[in-house]
């Protein structure tokens, strides 16, 4: 819980500090958020433990998760891999979106915390990862469609 307070204090401090120092604090908070999400415990989130116990038959339409659960069932990878991948995808594409659309990391991270995406359950984690990917590629899809 201490790390959550540190992230919130960093973010709130970054809002009141102007210039590069404030932005640096914002990026530090964003990095901490990413690391905390990727390396969070299995018990974080209301459905994480149940989600990790699901077999591939329950997630047949989710190709990435189905492939990962197959690899987990055959001991190629451990069940933490689902958390690693969803956290990495979320923060990687969020970073790309912030850079592409010139969104201030401080406001983006604060929105992330206020909306409850930070302490994600697996259902929310998958949805946020999908939204981050779509947000990044949406202009490309829109421009391609407009050309046709």
């Amino acid at each position: 819980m201490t790390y959550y307070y540190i992230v919130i204090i960093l973010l709130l401090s970054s809002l009141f500090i102007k210039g590069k120092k404030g932005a640096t604090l914002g990026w530090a908070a964003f990095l901490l958020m990413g690391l905390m999400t990727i390396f969070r415990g299995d018990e974080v989130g209301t459905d994480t433990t149940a989600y990790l116990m699901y077999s591939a038959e329950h997630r047949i339409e989710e190709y990435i998760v189905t492939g990962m659960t197959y690899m987990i069932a055959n001991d190629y990878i451990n069940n933490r891999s689902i958390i690693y991948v969803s956290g990495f995808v979320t923060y990687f594409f969020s970073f790309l979106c912030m850079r592409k659309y010139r969104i201030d990391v401080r406001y983006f991270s604060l929105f992330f915390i206020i909306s409850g995406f930070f302490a994600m359950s697996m259902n929310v984690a998958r949805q946020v990862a999908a939204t981050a990917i779509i947000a990044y590629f949406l202009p490309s899809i829109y421009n391609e469609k407009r050309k046709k």
Side-chain angles (χ1 to χ4, degrees):
M1 193 67 168
T2 305
Y3 295 118
Y4 291 102
Y5 292 131
I6 291 171
V7 168
I8 291 171
I9 289 169
L10 276 174
L11 277 176
L12 292 176
S13 300
S14 72
L15 292 173
F16 296 107
I17 298 174
K18 302 288 183 205
K20 288 187 176 186
K21 287 183 181 178
T24 303
L25 281 177
W27 281 110
F30 181 75
L31 179 64
L32 272 174
M33 287 171 56
L35 290 174
M36 288 172 63
T37 299
I38 292 170
F39 296 109
R40 69 189 172 102
D42 291 344
E43 69 281 351
V44 175
T46 56
D47 65 343
T48 304
T49 305
Y51 194 89
L52 293 174
M53 292 187 314
Y54 272 175
S55 66
E57 297 153 8
H58 290 91
R59 302 281 182 203
I60 198 71
E61 71 281 354
E62 300 175 24
Y63 303 110
I64 294 173
V65 175
T66 301
M68 291 182 76
T69 53
Y70 173 79
M71 290 190 288
I72 290 168
N74 292 308
D75 290 330
Y76 297 127
I77 59 175
N78 64 10
N79 63 355
R80 295 274 317 154
S81 301
I82 294 175
I83 295 173
Y84 296 149
V85 169
S86 65
F88 176 77
V89 166
T90 298
Y91 282 89
F92 178 73
F93 279 98
S94 294
F95 168 77
L96 292 178
C97 285
M98 283 188 287
R99 302 297 285 183
K100 184 174 190 173
Y101 304 123
R102 300 173 200 254
I103 300 170
D104 191 331
V105 66
R106 297 172 286 189
Y107 299 117
F108 181 87
S109 299
L110 197 58
F111 171 76
F112 220 70
I113 288 176
I114 291 171
S115 58
F117 297 148
F118 186 33
M120 298 183 284
S121 64
M122 284 309 294
N123 282 329
V124 175
R126 292 178 307 122
Q127 292 167 5
V128 172
T131 302
I133 293 169
I134 290 170
Y136 181 74
F137 287 109
L138 193 60
S140 303
I141 294 168
Y142 179 73
N143 288 338
E144 188 66 31
K145 196 173 189 180
R146 203 166 55 169
K147 288 178 184 176
K148 289 181 181 180

